[in-house]
Amino acid sequence: MQKQRIVVIGNGMVGHRFLEELIAQAGNDQYEITVFCEESRVAYDRVHLSSYFSHHTVEELSLVKPGFYETNNIKLLLGEAASIINAEAKIVSSKSGRMVPYDKLVFATGSFPFVPPVKGHEGTDIFVYRTIDDLDAIEKCARNSKSGVVIGGGLLGLEAAGALKALGVETHVIERAPMLMAEQLDQDGGAMLARKIENLGVKVHSGKNTLEITKGDSARNKLVFDNGEQLDVDFIVFSTGIRPRDRLARLSGLTIGDRGGIIIDDQCLTSNPDIYAVGECALWQNQTFGLVAPGYKMARVTADHIVSEGKSADSNAFSGSDMSAKLKLLGVDVGSIGDANASTPGAQSYVYQNEPSEIYKKLVVSADGKTLLGAVLVGDTSDYDGLLQFKLNDMELPENPESLILPSLGTDAGAAFGVDALPATATICSCFDISKDTISKAVQDGHTDLASIKAVTGAATGCGGCAQLVGQVINAELLALGVEVKNNLCPHFEYSRQELFHIIQVEKIRTFDQLIAKHGKGYGCEVCKPIASSILSSCWNDYVLAEEHTSLQDTNDLFLGNMQKDGSYSVIPRMPGGEVTPEGLAAVAHVAKEYNLYTKITGAQRIGLFGARKEHLPEIWEHLISAGFETGQAYAKALRMAKTCVGSSWCRFGIGDTVSLGVELEHRYKGFRTPHKMKIGVSGCTRECAEAQGKDIGIIATDKGWNLYVGGNGGMRPRHADLLASDLDKETLITTIDRFMMFYLRTADKLQRTSVWIESMKGGVDYVRDVVMNDSLNLFSTMDKEIIALIDSYQCEWKTTLSREAQLKRFKHFINSDDADENIQFVPSRDQLRPATQAEKNSLTAVEARG
């Protein structure tokens, strides 16, 4: 039996989502699938396109799981655009002459950036902001530019402006409307957004219409506005909206809307019963959708209609999509829900405006005050999730709706009803249209944490904005099942890490025995002992291998080194700021050669020595300490490094002395035991050679001082850091970092990175900013004293260990013998040694046996 042939034109986010839905519903052996992909790259995430400037790898943005096309027998035609469709013969032809027959055809051609017919718009150094190729071209141009402008102040325009600012150029935004984000915000909200963005260094020009682009006087280009004003800039990025890519559909005889877009019905079928259209190219009830969530819903509807052979249930029909959005634009939190401009007849508004804190909130309610029609949030979107549920589920508002946004009344929008009040049909994840009921059933099936819920339902794997609400649904369902939800550390302590930290600090508890005797039960376990040890160190910075602390340590801390896969250890001396002298290099080389260690430059700008036997560790460190080195604490949950570029000392682009600052910071915070490892990055300009915005604490030099970023990380879940403060002088910068460090030590959960810690707090980075810069909790005096005490109590753990003869006994492999561990064996590799595999060990043993 011949398989049904399905051809997809377009391999963007929605086109790829259709493929995933089709395979999920029908398996990989039901259809013969061909995909035309005009770009040279497989589907990638355009929602987070600007993050490309941080990591510069297509792989980070890719939506395609390894082997997806091969495993599912999908023929992907990369770099090949469809050019002709013979709808009568059901054949798609490409520009290369390839002809592909189909039974069902899916248009997923997306949209193209609209560039208004401004005179001179086809000149040089003028771009659009749509693809990775566009971003590469913009970045190349920015390297030789001092200024850039984005024409268009909507969502994508502000995203582009953020990218330009990150590239280090003077950035302008031109918006024809009297305010930014005119489609999502009201005038006051747009004005607040403009004020916040200008405070971040981006110049906003609203109410200006660009008439002409000519050669500039002080820069390469000049913009001429309708009011006679002019602006000289080096390069220009147009972000003035999108238009459906419907030309091929129009040539194929499909019905097109008056203003563009392929007309579809509720099953996403076009005027041809064998052709579908999904995403931004589609026009449903005279409406196009520029967000990804509606496109994903269309993809699912189309897949269902094909698999069911046109017999899909009415519940799977496309019925439009909520266009609410929660975003972070240039570091500013923005939320828009429903009727933001109160255009509904009889609508009433409640407005909260806090100009000192640059926060604007607006509720739009029905004439009777019982139904939420819309909302605008600028500067604080902590109420967004709760307000959205009121809107989506037509839930009755409290008696005083203003309590949902007014801090004086203190009612949280989410707390106003709680997830229990949400109907089972409530949409929790808008990106993938996942309901509360779907998540609840997954919990009932045994998926009881966020990671497993993500894996089985897909919830919170799109934009991630619903993660907190998903967590609330999980906990509510667990409680309904009779499972007690606690944040206790373990069975031995009925306290969270934060609570234990407070107990230890306030009661001045110095040992685990004192702690468990007074506040715990039993003898402790592998969970609570290391965490208690970390808290004790964070509070008092005592020697971790003191007799009263030794039993609390894991293997790495017990031997002050990272144990490797073969039982050997790594040795990583501290090299503050990545700086090392020739004498230091010689000392490291001497140790590596004497003990036959594998050497490698680590990602933390230090030299790692691998393959050290446990019994050799004291001798190795004695050599290194004699040469002036200290422990790098790569084995501990502590500060790993302050990574730096060479800064203004050497680099012709450098603005600040990054190495000096990085060295000072690393010496200041070395030895701090933290809830998770900590990394600092210091870059001398926005070219970001030290990747500061991917660190827990990131610092970038500016013409006026230093920008401070917090909460970034790489790893399994990369996160771009949040801007905490701009243009700080050095003294204020260090004081702010001090307080950030102490607030993190005090309040983070066990093994919680700064990124997750910030995301877990209501108000996120804005709340952190209030605490560490505005003293909203009156902690400045306390935190300042605590951090000085930690700095003053620093000791190199290896230096202390070598000074205590009794400590050296632990490094013998056998208690009653000086023999080495015979299981540690090495083989040559690229002029060094590496651990032998089991097969290689067997071979070596056989050779020895033969004599």
Side-chain angles (χ1 to χ4, degrees):
M1 181 178 176
Q2 185 179 6
K3 295 180 180 179
Q4 191 173 33
R5 299 162 300 185
I6 296 177
V7 173
V8 182
I9 302 177
N11 190 230
M13 296 181 71
V14 175
H16 181 68
R17 184 64 184 175
F18 164 74
L19 296 174
E20 291 181 325
E21 289 283 355
L22 189 67
I23 297 301
Q25 292 189 38
N28 60 9
D29 59 352
Q30 297 297 308
Y31 302 103
E32 181 182 310
I33 306 172
T34 304
V35 181
F36 286 91
C37 179
E38 187 174 358
E39 289 192 58
S40 59
R41 303 176 178 90
V42 295
Y44 56 88
D45 184 356
R46 295 184 195 273
V47 173
H48 299 99
L49 189 61
S50 293
S51 66
Y52 178 72
F53 285 124
S54 301
H55 49 67
H56 289 88
T57 58
V58 178
E59 290 74 20
E60 292 277 357
L61 286 173
S62 177
L63 296 173
V64 183
K65 296 176 182 177
F68 175 80
Y69 293 107
E70 296 80 3
T71 302
N72 295 302
N73 304 310
I74 297 172
K75 188 174 184 178
L76 179 65
L77 305 177
L78 275 179
E80 191 161 350
S83 59
I84 300 174
I85 298 173
N86 185 331
E88 186 174 342
K90 292 188 176 182
I91 294 176
V92 178
S93 301
S94 71
K95 291 182 179 180
S96 68
R98 188 193 304 268
M99 301 176 69
V100 181
Y102 69 85
D103 296 304
K104 299 293 180 183
L105 175 64
V106 179
F107 270 91
T109 48
S111 61
F112 65 89
F114 170 70
V115 177
V118 175
K119 184 178 179 181
H121 75 273
E122 295 179 343
T124 57
D125 297 327
I126 299 175
F127 308 93
V128 293
Y129 195 86
R130 187 66 176 166
T131 68
I132 288 177
D133 288 338
D134 294 332
L135 268 60
D136 284 335
I138 291 170
E139 183 174 31
K140 183 178 179 181
C141 181
R143 293 193 192 110
N144 303 306
S145 303
K146 293 183 178 179
S147 59
V149 64
V150 177
I151 298 180
L155 294 178
L156 192 59
L158 295 181
E159 186 83 14
L164 264 59
K165 187 173 187 300
L167 289 172
V169 298
E170 178 185 296
T171 303
H172 300 260
V173 174
I174 311 298
E175 171 54 45
R176 183 175 181 175
M179 64 206 184
L180 297 177
M181 290 183 63
E183 292 187 12
Q184 290 83 19
L185 304 181
D186 65 349
Q187 190 153 351
D188 289 336
M192 180 66 77
L193 176 60
R195 190 179 312 144
K196 289 178 74 71
I197 287 175
E198 287 194 320
N199 287 342
L200 294 172
V202 175
K203 299 177 182 179
V204 177
H205 310 263
S206 55
K208 285 186 170 61
N209 184 23
T210 307
L211 297 181
E212 185 179 2
I213 300 171
T214 65
K215 185 177 180 180
D217 299 321
S218 60
R220 296 194 295 272
N221 284 291
K222 180 192 298 289
L223 301 184
V224 180
F225 302 117
D226 55 354
N227 63 356
E229 293 182 9
Q230 300 177 349
L231 175 67
D232 277 18
V233 291
D234 286 318
F235 69 97
I236 300 162
V237 178
F238 275 98
S239 182
T240 47
I242 56 175
R243 299 292 186 270
R245 291 190 67 187
D246 56 15
R247 182 176 179 274
L248 183 58
R250 189 188 301 270
L251 293 174
S252 305
L254 298 181
T255 304
I256 306 297
D258 293 339
R259 300 184 64 184
I262 309 168
I263 294 178
I264 62 171
D265 63 13
D266 293 352
Q267 279 69 46
C268 298
L269 277 170
T270 68
S271 54
N272 185 311
D274 293 314
I275 301 179
Y276 300 81
V278 295
E280 293 171 343
C281 67
L283 181 70
W284 177 82
Q285 294 192 6
N286 210 32
Q287 183 180 7
T288 55
F289 299 87
L291 299 179
V292 71
Y296 282 174
K297 190 171 183 179
M298 290 179 188
R300 186 176 64 257
V301 168
T302 300
D304 183 66
H305 196 258
I306 291 174
V307 172
S308 68
E309 298 181 347
K311 300 175 183 176
S312 55
D314 291 341
S315 59
N316 287 331
F318 183 74
S319 55
S321 181
D322 178 68
M323 298 297 284
S324 302
K326 179 172 67 171
L327 312 139
K328 186 178 286 288
L329 300 167
L330 285 156
V332 179
D333 291 312
V334 179
S336 173
I337 298 173
D339 181 11
N341 285 289
S343 57
T344 303
Q348 304 180 81
S349 297
Y350 296 93
V351 174
Y352 167 70
Q353 188 160 341
N354 182 336
E355 292 196 358
S357 298
E358 296 184 330
I359 293 173
Y360 175 84
K361 298 183 180 183
K362 174 183 176 181
L363 288 185
V364 180
V365 303
S366 58
D368 60 7
K370 295 182 178 181
T371 305
L372 180 68
L373 302 177
V376 176
L377 305 169
V378 177
D380 177 11
T381 56
S382 56
D383 297 323
Y384 176 87
D385 289 340
L387 294 173
L388 181 61
Q389 292 303 321
F390 272 109
K391 172 68 171 61
L392 293 180
N393 299 291
D394 291 325
M395 298 172 63
E396 185 171 334
L397 292 168
E399 184 176 353
N400 299 302
E402 67 272 23
S403 66
L404 301 177
I405 58 172
L406 295 179
S408 59
L409 297 179
T411 304
D412 176 85
F417 56 85
V419 293
D420 287 336
L422 294 177
T425 55
T427 299
I428 302 299
C429 175
S430 297
C431 288
F432 300 119
D433 199 26
I434 296 168
S435 68
K436 174 187 172 183
D437 188 51
T438 299
I439 297 170
S440 297
K441 287 179 178 177
V443 174
Q444 294 167 17
D445 290 339
H447 305 287
T448 58
D449 58 42
L450 183 59
S452 60
I453 289 295
K454 284 183 175 182
V456 298
T457 69
T461 60
C463 71
C466 63
Q468 183 176 2
L469 192 57
V470 172
Q472 293 172 10
V473 174
I474 294 170
N475 288 341
E477 188 60 35
L478 288 172
L479 288 172
L481 294 172
V483 179
E484 188 174 4
V485 180
K486 289 185 175 181
N487 196 26
N488 293 353
L489 203 61
C490 71
H492 303 103
F493 288 99
E494 294 183 355
Y495 301 99
S496 66
R497 181 200 173 273
Q498 299 95 319
E499 291 165 336
L500 277 186
F501 186 99
H502 183 72
I503 289 169
I504 289 171
Q505 191 174 60
V506 171
E507 299 186 15
K508 301 191 183 308
I509 293 173
R510 305 295 294 234
T511 70
F512 181 77
D513 288 344
Q514 294 172 355
L515 178 65
I516 200 165
K518 192 170 183 181
H519 297 285
K521 55 187 176 183
Y523 301 98
C525 64
E526 69 278 3
V527 173
C528 61
K529 285 184 176 181
I531 293 171
S533 173
S534 174
I535 297 173
L536 290 166
S537 293
S538 296
C539 289
W540 319 121
N541 220 4
D542 292 336
Y543 176 50
V544 294
L545 295 183
E547 183 177 354
E548 62 271 22
H549 301 315
T550 302
S551 63
L552 308 180
Q553 312 307 329
D554 61 16
T555 300
N556 288 350
D557 281 311
L558 200 59
F559 299 108
L560 305 179
N562 265 330
M563 187 170 73
Q564 304 301 309
K565 60 187 287 186
D566 63 339
S568 66
Y569 288 80
S570 63
V571 173
I572 303 179
R574 187 175 299 284
M575 296 180 179
E579 196 172 55
V580 61
T581 65
E583 292 78 13
L585 287 173
V588 171
H590 173 76
V591 167
K593 190 169 184 179
E594 181 174 347
Y595 292 93
N596 211 6
L597 304 177
Y598 169 82
T599 58
K600 187 183 186 302
I601 305 297
T602 72
Q605 290 185 334
R606 300 187 287 194
I607 298 176
L609 309 175
F610 295 79
R613 292 179 178 273
K614 183 168 63 176
E615 60 270 22
H616 291 161
L617 289 174
E619 298 171 14
I620 290 171
W621 276 104
E622 193 164 10
H623 284 300
L624 293 172
I625 288 172
S626 297
F629 287 106
E630 296 178 313
T631 174
Q633 283 195 306
Y635 49 82
K637 295 291 184 285
L639 174 66
R640 293 293 172 87
M641 83 301 188
K643 185 175 183 178
T644 68
C645 65
V646 295
S648 58
S649 300
W650 293 93
C651 179
R652 59 195 176 97
F653 298 111
I655 299 173
D657 185 358
T658 55
V659 179
S660 295
L661 179 59
V663 170
E664 181 177 348
L665 292 176
E666 189 160 345
H667 279 307
R668 186 174 183 84
Y669 304 121
K670 64 187 179 184
F672 284 26
R673 296 291 177 124
T674 47
H676 208 296
K677 61 186 177 185
M678 288 279 293
K679 296 181 180 181
I680 296 175
V682 189
S683 288
C685 69
T686 52
R687 283 171 174 79
E688 260 283 67
C689 293
E691 302 165 329
Q693 293 174 84
K695 303 291 186 287
D696 297 278
I697 296 173
I699 302 152
I700 301 178
T702 71
D703 291 328
K704 300 177 183 177
W706 303 92
N707 284 354
L708 176 59
Y709 294 83
V710 294
N713 66 253
M716 295 178 67
R717 186 189 167 211
R719 183 184 190 272
H720 197 280
D722 296 315
L723 180 64
L724 187 70
S726 301
D727 299 325
L728 302 177
D729 60 73
K730 181 181 171 183
E731 182 180 355
T732 305
L733 172 73
I734 292 176
T735 300
T736 304
I737 297 174
D738 284 353
R739 292 164 180 167
F740 176 82
M741 290 281 285
M742 292 312 304
F743 190 45
Y744 172 56
L745 288 184
R746 282 170 156 262
T747 60
D749 203 353
K750 56 183 182 293
L751 299 177
Q752 190 174 48
R753 288 294 296 267
T754 57
S755 57
V756 182
W757 169 65
I758 290 173
E759 289 176 345
S760 69
M761 287 188 290
K762 181 182 177 182
V765 72
D766 293 326
Y767 175 70
V768 174
R769 186 182 296 110
D770 274 345
V771 174
V772 304
M773 300 196 74
N774 302 327
D775 202 15
S776 60
L777 298 181
N778 296 316
L779 288 174
F780 276 8
S781 176
T782 301
M783 293 194 295
D784 292 348
K785 291 176 183 176
E786 290 172 354
I787 199 159
I788 293 302
L790 285 176
I791 293 168
D792 291 344
S793 62
Y794 169 74
Q795 58 185 303
C796 170
E797 291 163 348
W798 261 111
K799 190 172 184 179
T800 303
T801 299
L802 292 173
S803 69
R804 301 186 181 187
E805 186 68 28
Q807 291 292 346
L808 302 183
K809 296 177 182 178
R810 76 176 67 255
F811 294 96
K812 291 182 64 174
H813 186 70
F814 297 107
I815 296 176
N816 58 352
S817 171
D818 292 329
D819 291 346
D821 183 358
E822 295 180 353
N823 291 314
I824 297 178
Q825 299 181 49
F826 303 100
V827 294
S829 176
R830 296 185 299 279
D831 299 324
Q832 296 200 79
L833 296 179
R834 64 163 173 81
T837 64
Q838 189 58 52
E840 288 167 336
K841 288 181 181 180
N842 294 339
S843 178
L844 290 170
T845 302
V847 170
E848 292 173 0
R850 289 196 296 269

